[in-house]
Amino acid sequence: MTEASEAGDAPRAAPDVFAPARLGPLRLPNRIIKAATFEGMAPDSLVTDELIDYHRRPAAGGVAMTTVAYCGVVPEGRTHRGQLWMRPEALPGLRRLTAAVHETGAAVAVQLGHAGPVADARSNGAPALSPMGGFNPVGLRRNRAATAQDLHRVVEAHAHAAALAATAGFDAVELHLGHNYLASAFLSPRLNRRTDEYGGPLRHRARLALEIAASVRRALGDRIAITAKLNMTDGVRGGLTPEDSLQVAGWLQEAGSVDALTLTAGSSLLNPMYLFRGDVSVKEFAAPFPQPQRLGLRLLGRTFLRDYPYEPLYLLDKALRFRRELTLPLVLLGGVTDRDGMARAMTEGFEFVAMARALLREPDLVRRLRRDPSARSRCIHCNRCVPTIYSGTHCPLID
């Protein structure tokens, strides 16, 4: 999608992906973002040297901004206990991390959220919140249906976490509104069958997500950039549809609560491979889990880890509808690994692109693509990196 002037001039050329760009109050040196992917490098819920190095490498390798993931806004909001959560005790380490990234010339964001029904209650030692309660296969415990008081607490916790992020030196926060984490679970008609002010019509199901974004905007103003990761679809029957997601995106745009949206898809709870695409080994995915989850995954994994062949720009077709109907800056992810794909995204009107798995194998891939437009990523989309998240996310194929 390109713009034409009122005088009917020729369409304006799409920007070079390596041209500087503005994201809210933030000026970035190019338009390539390292997407948030859980690192598995905070065993005490605090920053480690390994986590700092994990983000310093792609920052030095040419991305405009790297995104620290995933930071819970409260303890039970973590997917499991070995994960960051935002509190004053974490500030010294977070300041070391942001300083290390800034030394490379890149910016750094932090992804904030509440895992909701994706949380491992057994690991966290606290019940996982969800719209409706029910059994949680992640932690083999029952979820607790979130009360209105719980949700008010979660909203305020997002604002507090965002303020801490600014204090720690982050240039942006990304609000996690996708993958059937708590806010996304409330958006889903399949997971949210409540009859109160947080359930039923879409506006009610979207209330939590909209309140989170509004509270963070109030806390931050324009001090740092605010983005949100939003599902275009859950990829499951009865889940969030593209039509409803587009309406939620429109409400976020109208409110002015975010500076950009990262468009994603899939459910960490019900259909994770809808996002990842590519090969999947049930045996390798099951290996990091303790029993009886490991046996359950080995026996039933194919019903959960479905097969979606990889192709370049695999979320583009869905994202184009959002690009046509929104004016808000959008980040395209999903199979963006080469200059051709990046150029296509720019031509279609996306302001930024995001990548993740390819940077695990080659943290300097962006610098290499800048130097040689014909360069190709060495990532083979085998997804063997995904099971490593519990032992320190990495590419097992690195020589």
Side-chain angles (χ1 to χ4, degrees):
M1 184 181 73
T2 56
E3 298 177 3
S5 71
E6 293 181 0
D9 295 337
R12 190 165 59 197
D16 184 341
V17 73
F18 288 103
R22 187 161 291 281
L23 176 59
L26 178 61
R27 182 171 174 81
L28 295 175
N30 63 58
R31 298 162 185 265
I32 305 169
I33 297 170
K34 187 209 170 295
T37 48
F38 179 49
E39 306 95 346
M41 297 175 183
D44 298 317
S45 299
L46 295 169
V47 171
T48 60
D49 290 342
E50 291 77 13
L51 182 64
I52 292 173
D53 191 53
Y54 177 94
H55 286 283
R56 184 194 56 78
R57 290 196 303 270
V63 300
M65 183 166 71
T66 184
T67 310
V68 178
Y70 151 86
C71 295
V73 297
V74 289
E76 88 275 1
R78 298 170 291 174
T79 58
H80 73 103
R81 68 177 178 271
Q83 193 169 64
L84 288 170
W85 68 278
M86 297 294 283
R87 71 237 195 248
E89 292 83 355
L91 277 176
L94 292 170
R95 287 188 174 118
R96 286 200 301 123
L97 191 159
T98 58
V101 172
H102 288 153
E103 285 176 0
T104 71
V108 55
V110 60
Q111 185 185 70
L112 303 175
H114 191 296
V118 180
D120 186 335
R122 181 169 61 174
S123 175
N124 287 338
L129 298 182
S130 70
M132 301 298 298
F135 180 72
N136 185 336
V138 177
L140 301 180
R141 298 285 191 277
R142 288 192 64 81
N143 292 330
R144 182 164 67 81
T147 65
Q149 184 177 7
D150 288 326
L151 300 178
H152 295 324
R153 174 176 60 88
V154 168
V155 169
E156 290 305 309
H158 276 81
H160 180 65
L164 283 176
T167 301
F170 285 97
D171 304 287
V173 296
E174 179 182 74
L175 309 178
H176 201 325
L177 308 181
H179 304 163
N180 285 165
Y181 282 40
L182 188 63
S184 174
F186 270 83
L187 289 171
S188 166
R190 174 168 173 163
L191 298 175
N192 180 2
R193 299 183 300 278
R194 294 166 72 115
T195 57
D196 64 359
E197 66 269 31
Y198 289 96
L202 178 62
R203 187 78 198 205
H204 290 185
R205 288 186 279 117
R207 179 175 177 177
L208 178 60
L210 298 176
E211 287 182 344
I212 287 170
S215 74
V216 169
R217 176 61 79 189
R218 286 193 298 271
L220 292 177
D222 292 324
R223 282 191 289 162
I224 64 175
I226 303 170
T227 71
K229 179 170 280 188
L230 179 69
N231 266 17
M232 295 182 288
T233 173
D234 291 345
V236 296
R237 183 176 298 175
L240 184 71
T241 65
E243 292 74 21
D244 281 356
S245 176
L246 185 56
Q247 177 63 77
V248 175
W251 287 330
L252 289 166
Q253 175 178 283
E254 180 182 353
S257 51
V258 298
D259 297 307
L261 286 176
T262 297
L263 300 173
T264 188
S267 168
S268 297
L269 190 66
L270 301 170
N271 191 8
M273 298 312 296
Y274 194 87
L275 169 62
F276 288 116
R277 309 294 170 96
D279 299 337
V280 54
S281 167
V282 172
K283 181 179 180 180
E284 289 191 36
F285 271 66
F289 287 89
Q291 298 290 13
Q293 291 107 311
R294 185 187 312 161
L295 178 61
L297 267 175
R298 290 288 298 272
L299 294 175
L300 303 173
R302 275 299 166 194
T303 64
F304 174 63
L305 299 169
R306 303 173 196 171
D307 185 21
Y308 294 98
Y310 175 86
E311 59 183 12
L313 304 182
Y314 54 80
L315 293 182
L316 176 62
D317 287 347
K318 289 182 174 60
L320 282 173
R321 180 176 177 186
F322 286 71
R323 182 64 291 166
R324 286 192 298 267
E325 301 194 33
L326 297 170
T327 58
L328 192 65
L330 299 178
V331 184
L332 180 70
L333 61 71
V336 182
T337 62
D338 57 33
R339 286 288 293 270
D340 290 343
M342 293 173 180
R344 174 79 186 278
M346 297 295 105
T347 299
E348 297 289 0
F350 294 91
E351 284 78 10
F352 302 94
V353 295
M355 61 169 63
R357 285 173 293 177
L359 293 172
L360 290 178
R361 187 162 189 179
E362 296 176 276
D364 65 343
L365 175 60
V366 172
R367 186 170 57 211
R368 192 160 66 86
L369 289 172
R370 186 166 198 163
R371 186 172 59 242
D372 178 9
S374 66
R376 290 290 180 267
S377 166
R378 295 175 63 202
C379 178
I380 62 171
H381 323 294
C382 65
N383 289 313
R384 290 178 60 193
C385 56
V386 179
T388 72
I389 64 173
Y390 299 106
S391 58
T393 304
H394 65 280
C395 174
L397 304 182
I398 292 177
D399 298 331

